[in-house]
Amino acid sequence: HIAIWRVSRHRWLLTWIMNHKYIKPILSQIAEEASLSPNLEICGFLGYDEEMERFVWQREKNASPDPHNFFLIDPFNYLEFQENYEIIAVFHSHVIGNAKPSEFDIKMSSTSCLPFLIYSVQEKKFNLYCPSNHEIDVNTLNRLKEKV
């Protein structure tokens, strides 16, 4: 289940989420990776390959000194991914608790102006946090709410 915590202006993201044909396999792969690392937060990027006209995801090494509670992605990896794909969101897992964004998640999502897709290993659920510095088409939001 995906929940929208804030209204987002990021139209690509909402189109992507609504297109279950493409999102389900990616969400399944992220959930599987997170389940294989139940004691460490996994993290990475979701993006769109314009040349291949497909969505992609890439797991990154969690460089946090406390990977059980936080994640940190090397900024060089961010720049490299951004060079090849349009970044849609940053994903990571929560090994303890639910998929709601922590205060740290909210701050980092807002600072980076990127939505965070969070997976709870305990709940086996996804949650999407979109920072307030994005905008959404009201009709798109209503269609999304109908599907969630």
Side-chain angles (χ1 to χ4, degrees):
H1 295 33
I2 296 177
I4 299 289
W5 279 90
R6 287 199 151 200
V7 176
S8 167
R9 286 181 267 215
H10 203 18
R11 292 180 138 205
W12 268 106
L13 181 61
L14 292 175
T15 302
W16 175 65
I17 290 169
M18 290 173 59
N19 192 340
H20 293 286
K21 176 181 173 185
Y22 296 108
I23 187 67
K24 283 186 178 181
I26 290 173
L27 293 179
S28 293
Q29 291 169 357
I30 292 170
E32 184 177 338
E33 289 281 323
S35 297
L36 294 173
S37 298
N39 297 316
L40 303 174
E41 288 195 7
I42 68 161
C43 54
F45 303 110
L46 302 170
Y48 186 74
D49 184 337
E50 291 184 18
E51 194 173 298
M52 300 294 289
E53 297 182 350
R54 65 182 175 101
F55 293 94
V56 297
W57 72 284
Q58 181 172 304
R59 183 173 173 179
E60 295 293 339
K61 178 184 178 201
N62 184 346
S64 171
D66 182 10
H68 182 73
N69 295 303
F70 299 98
F71 76 97
L72 176 65
I73 297 174
D74 184 325
F76 178 77
N77 293 359
Y78 166 82
L79 294 173
E80 191 174 61
F81 188 87
Q82 187 180 37
E83 189 174 304
N84 296 312
Y85 308 108
E86 178 181 353
I87 292 184
I88 304 299
V90 172
F91 73 82
H92 73 280
S93 62
H94 282 178
V95 297
I96 298 173
N98 58 34
K100 290 181 182 177
S102 65
E103 288 183 35
F104 183 76
D105 292 335
I106 292 168
K107 184 177 181 179
M108 292 300 99
S109 177
S110 296
T111 300
S112 67
C113 300
L114 290 171
F116 275 22
L117 180 65
I118 304 164
Y119 179 75
S120 167
V121 175
Q122 287 183 334
E123 291 182 327
K124 298 186 182 337
K125 290 183 181 178
F126 281 94
N127 191 352
L128 179 67
Y129 174 80
C130 297
S132 60
N133 51 354
H134 290 277
E135 181 180 282
I136 183 175
D137 175 65
V138 175
N139 293 328
T140 303
L141 179 60
N142 288 335
R143 285 194 306 270
L144 178 60
K145 285 180 181 177
E146 290 172 7
K147 293 186 182 279
V148 174

